[in-house]
Amino acid sequence: MAEAGGDKPSADPGPSSLSRVLRISQLDAFELDGALEQLVWSQFTQCFQHFKPGLLTPVEPELKALLQLLLWRFTVYSNSATAGQSLLNIRYKDVLVSGPKYRPISRQKKLWFALLTIGDKWLRERSHSLFLSQPAESNIHNAGKLLSVITGFMKAASLVNFLLFLQTGTYPTLTERSLGVQPVFIRSQGPRDVNFQYLNRELLWHGFAEFLIFLLPLINVWKLKACLSTWFSPVKELKEGGSADTFYKECAICGEWPTMPHSIGCAHVFCYYCLKSHTIAEVSFTCPKCGVDATGTIQPVMLQIEMTELHQSRVPAGRP
């Protein structure tokens, strides 16, 4: 007789399909499940991005539980495998049922699986508002304290169970151990051949990345930028018909009208805060226009502004 949830016992799977799943494959399946839940939740919240902020916050645990319940309905309940396990050709097998054939988990265990996974997550997220927000003298608050103690014991038991999983390779979670379910391969796992060209390309890019990680911190990017600016800036200013007087009308760093103008000894002027922040960040600071080192003291510069220039800067364009 076919089991509930759409699963049927397979005819006679090969020995490799019922072999024990590697530890790394089981952990990869958990990572894929978490990534899928996060993706579904992010797509769901984007539907409400134009609504009032915080609209979903009061019912967020319930909505997450509902989405996880939908995923459980179309994965574990239908195929006896989570979404991550399906991608890795893995299914849950009821190890309490002896026999050479593959036996999917029963409907009762599937319901317990949903209760112990989805219900546990919902209760931990909702416990603060359900119990801890009540008065300290109430029985509900005491029940919340008892739940906190039970949660602590469960976390300790989960840690011990995970250490046992690392040693034996079976039952990575307490839910699987308590229900007696174990993942197995449903298809024969052939050899995993790696193309030589792919391996060579990966090694080449890995070596190049390590070389850049070692080399880039040794390059003085600010010094290089200042040198390039020194090479091209005079040519640009000469083509535009600039003169030395124009150097005092803009900051050599930000290009705006200099605020509290200061100089480092060259023909250019800087905003005080631009110059101070760059000299603190770079000990060997040089002028980005001419390349002069800021070895001397920073001195203020007195600018004389003609009234015609001030009037032109205040009159809007197109007005006489």
Side-chain angles (χ1 to χ4, degrees), residues 46 91 95 112 151 154 179 183 196 198 214 233 285 288 319:
Q46 286 182 1
R91 281 190 181 182
V95 296
W112 276 107
T151 303
M154 293 300 295
L179 296 178
F196 176 76
Y198 171 78
F214 173 77
S233 293
F285 174 76
R319 180 179 297 180

Side-chain angles (χ1 to χ4, degrees), residues 76-231:
V76 178
Y77 188 81
S78 301
N79 302 321
S80 295
T82 63
Q85 292 175 344
S86 299
L87 294 175
L88 299 177
N89 299 326
I90 300 173
R91 281 190 181 182
Y92 278 126
K93 174 191 176 183
D94 193 349
V95 296
L96 300 180
V97 179
S98 60
K101 296 182 179 181
Y102 167 75
R103 297 291 180 179
I105 57 180
S106 61
R107 176 185 297 179
Q108 183 180 3
K109 289 190 176 182
K110 292 176 182 179
L111 296 176
W112 276 107
F113 186 90
L115 181 63
L116 295 177
T117 54
I118 303 174
D120 179 65
K121 291 181 181 179
W122 172 83
L123 186 60
R124 282 190 280 108
E125 293 181 0
R126 182 54 75 181
S127 61
H128 179 76
S129 59
L130 287 177
F131 302 104
L132 301 182
S133 60
Q134 300 296 328
E137 302 81 11
S138 61
N139 295 329
I140 300 179
H141 186 79
N142 296 331
K145 292 183 179 180
L146 180 60
L147 180 62
S148 300
V149 174
I150 296 175
T151 303
F153 279 111
M154 293 300 295
K155 289 182 178 180
S158 298
L159 177 60
V160 175
N161 179 81
F162 187 74
L163 294 178
L164 293 175
F165 162 73
L166 295 179
Q167 182 180 6
T168 61
T170 56
Y171 304 118
T173 63
L174 284 176
T175 302
E176 297 179 3
R177 185 177 294 274
S178 60
L179 296 178
V181 295
Q182 185 177 344
V184 293
F185 286 114
I186 59 175
R187 296 189 185 93
S188 177
Q189 302 298 307
R192 301 178 62 182
D193 297 331
V194 180
N195 193 341
F196 176 76
Q197 295 180 354
Y198 171 78
L199 182 61
N200 189 22
R201 184 169 61 251
E202 289 295 322
L203 292 176
L204 178 62
W205 279 109
H206 181 70
F208 183 68
E210 287 188 347
F211 174 73
L212 291 180
I213 292 174
F214 173 77
L215 180 63
L216 289 179
L218 304 179
I219 299 177
N220 192 337
V221 181
W222 174 259
K223 193 77 173 181
L224 181 61
K225 181 180 178 181
C227 293
L228 294 177
S229 179
T230 303
W231 292 343

Side-chain angles (χ1 to χ4, degrees), residues 40-52 55-56:
V40 172
W41 175 251
S42 62
Q43 294 293 327
F44 178 77
T45 54
Q46 286 182 1
C47 299
F48 300 89
Q49 62 180 350
H50 299 294
F51 287 78
K52 181 180 179 181
L55 179 65
L56 303 179

